[in-house]
Protein backbone atom coordinates (compact mmCIF):
# COMPACT_ATOMS: atom_id res chain seq x y z
CA UNK A 1 0.00 0.00 0.00
CA UNK A 2 2.87 2.40 0.75
CA UNK A 3 4.08 1.94 -2.83
CA UNK A 4 0.71 3.11 -4.15
CA UNK A 5 0.92 6.30 -2.08
CA UNK A 6 4.41 7.10 -3.31
CA UNK A 7 4.28 6.00 -6.92
CA UNK A 8 0.59 5.73 -7.80
CA UNK A 9 -0.20 3.31 -10.60
CA UNK A 10 3.26 3.61 -12.13
CA UNK A 11 4.73 0.70 -10.17
CA UNK A 12 2.00 -1.61 -11.43
CA UNK A 13 2.32 -0.18 -14.95
CA UNK A 14 6.05 -0.92 -14.93
CA UNK A 15 5.40 -4.52 -13.89
CA UNK A 16 2.76 -5.05 -16.60
CA UNK A 17 4.96 -3.46 -19.26
CA UNK A 18 7.91 -5.60 -18.15
CA UNK A 19 5.90 -8.81 -18.39
CA UNK A 20 4.56 -7.70 -21.79
CA UNK A 21 8.11 -7.08 -23.07
CA UNK A 22 9.04 -10.63 -22.10
CA UNK A 23 5.99 -12.07 -23.81
CA UNK A 24 6.56 -10.09 -27.01
CA UNK A 25 10.24 -11.10 -27.03
CA UNK A 26 9.15 -14.73 -26.72
CA UNK A 27 6.80 -14.27 -29.68
CA UNK A 28 9.61 -12.80 -31.78
CA UNK A 29 12.02 -15.57 -30.76
CA UNK A 30 9.48 -18.21 -31.79
CA UNK A 31 8.52 -16.63 -35.12
CA UNK A 32 9.63 -19.74 -37.00
CA UNK A 33 8.54 -22.38 -34.48
CA UNK A 34 5.79 -24.53 -36.01
CA UNK A 35 2.56 -24.39 -34.04
CA UNK A 36 3.65 -21.55 -31.75
CA UNK A 37 0.74 -19.34 -30.67
CA UNK A 38 1.55 -15.66 -30.18
CA UNK A 39 0.25 -14.07 -26.98
CA UNK A 40 -0.01 -10.51 -25.72
CA UNK A 41 -1.03 -8.75 -22.52
CA UNK A 42 -4.06 -6.47 -22.66
CA UNK A 43 -2.52 -3.54 -20.78
CA UNK A 44 -5.83 -1.86 -19.97
CA UNK A 45 -7.34 -5.06 -18.61
CA UNK A 46 -4.28 -5.75 -16.45
CA UNK A 47 -4.27 -2.20 -15.08
CA UNK A 48 -8.00 -2.37 -14.38
CA UNK A 49 -7.36 -5.51 -12.33
CA UNK A 50 -4.51 -3.71 -10.54
CA UNK A 51 -7.01 -1.11 -9.32
CA UNK A 52 -9.10 -3.81 -7.66
CA UNK A 53 -9.00 -4.86 -4.01
CA UNK A 54 -6.23 -7.43 -4.55
CA UNK A 55 -4.03 -5.11 -6.57
CA UNK A 56 -1.72 -6.37 -9.27
CA UNK A 57 -0.95 -10.05 -9.06
CA UNK A 58 0.45 -12.69 -11.37
CA UNK A 59 -3.10 -13.96 -11.76
CA UNK A 60 -4.30 -10.53 -12.92
CA UNK A 61 -1.58 -10.35 -15.57
CA UNK A 62 -2.21 -13.96 -16.62
CA UNK A 63 -5.95 -13.22 -16.95
CA UNK A 64 -5.12 -10.24 -19.18
CA UNK A 65 -2.88 -12.38 -21.41
CA UNK A 66 -4.64 -13.35 -24.62
CA UNK A 67 -3.72 -15.26 -27.75
CA UNK A 68 -3.14 -13.01 -30.74
CA UNK A 69 -5.35 -13.60 -33.79
CA UNK A 70 -3.18 -13.43 -36.92
CA UNK A 71 -4.18 -11.37 -39.93
CA UNK A 72 -2.90 -14.09 -42.25
CA UNK A 73 -2.89 -17.75 -41.28
CA UNK A 74 0.37 -19.69 -41.47
CA UNK A 75 0.54 -23.18 -42.97
CA UNK A 76 2.51 -24.52 -39.98
CA UNK A 77 0.04 -23.18 -37.38
CA UNK A 78 2.36 -20.45 -36.10
CA UNK A 79 0.42 -17.24 -35.34
CA UNK A 80 3.43 -14.91 -34.98
CA UNK A 81 3.48 -12.03 -37.44
CA UNK A 82 6.94 -10.59 -37.08
CA UNK A 83 6.10 -7.02 -38.14
CA UNK A 84 3.19 -6.86 -35.68
CA UNK A 85 5.31 -8.22 -32.84
CA UNK A 86 8.23 -5.89 -33.54
CA UNK A 87 5.92 -2.86 -33.64
CA UNK A 88 4.22 -3.85 -30.39
CA UNK A 89 7.62 -4.49 -28.78
CA UNK A 90 8.96 -1.06 -29.83
CA UNK A 91 5.83 0.76 -28.63
CA UNK A 92 5.88 -1.07 -25.31
CA UNK A 93 9.62 -0.42 -24.86
CA UNK A 94 9.04 3.34 -25.27
CA UNK A 95 6.15 3.22 -22.78
CA UNK A 96 8.32 1.21 -20.36
CA UNK A 97 11.12 3.80 -20.57
CA UNK A 98 8.61 6.63 -20.04
CA UNK A 99 7.20 4.96 -16.93
CA UNK A 100 10.71 4.26 -15.66
CA UNK A 101 11.70 7.91 -16.21
CA UNK A 102 8.67 9.07 -14.25
CA UNK A 103 9.54 6.74 -11.37
CA UNK A 104 13.18 7.89 -11.39
CA UNK A 105 12.00 11.50 -11.25
CA UNK A 106 9.69 10.70 -8.36
CA UNK A 107 12.50 8.96 -6.46
CA UNK A 108 14.71 12.01 -7.08
CA UNK A 109 12.00 14.26 -5.64
CA UNK A 110 11.69 12.09 -2.56
CA UNK A 111 15.47 12.01 -2.09
CA UNK A 112 15.67 15.80 -2.31
CA UNK A 113 12.78 16.15 0.15
CA UNK A 114 14.52 13.86 2.63
CA UNK A 115 17.73 15.87 2.32
CA UNK A 116 15.77 19.08 2.89
CA UNK A 117 16.63 20.63 -0.47
Amino acid sequence: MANDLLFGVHGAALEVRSRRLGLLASNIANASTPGFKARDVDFREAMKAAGGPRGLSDGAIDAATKYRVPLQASADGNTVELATEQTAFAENAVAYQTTLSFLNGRIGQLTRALRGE
Side-chain angles (χ1 to χ4, degrees):
M1 188 70 170
N3 259 355
D4 292 339
L5 296 175
L6 293 175
F7 303 117
V9 299
H10 298 286
L14 193 67
E15 176 64 24
V16 172
R17 291 190 195 289
S18 174
R19 289 276 300 269
R20 186 170 185 232
L21 280 172
L23 206 57
L24 293 170
S26 175
N27 291 346
I28 292 168
N30 287 289
S32 61
T33 304
F36 184 82
K37 305 296 182 205
R39 296 182 304 153
D40 196 1
V41 175
D42 183 336
F43 181 78
R44 290 177 197 248
E45 187 177 323
M47 290 305 294
K48 195 179 293 183
R54 290 179 36 205
L56 185 65
S57 66
D58 286 339
I61 296 175
D62 290 341
T65 302
K66 311 289 184 206
Y67 286 99
R68 191 182 302 282
V69 178
L71 297 174
Q72 185 158 347
S74 172
D76 66 0
N78 186 309
T79 62
V80 175
E81 294 177 322
L82 200 52
T84 301
E85 301 301 329
Q86 289 172 329
T87 301
F89 186 90
E91 289 174 350
N92 194 65
V94 168
Y96 180 89
Q97 286 292 12
T98 302
T99 303
L100 193 58
S101 293
F102 175 84
L103 288 171
N104 281 334
R106 182 70 174 131
I107 291 169
Q109 287 176 337
L110 293 170
T111 302
R112 287 190 298 279
L114 290 172
R115 288 184 189 150
E117 295 176 2

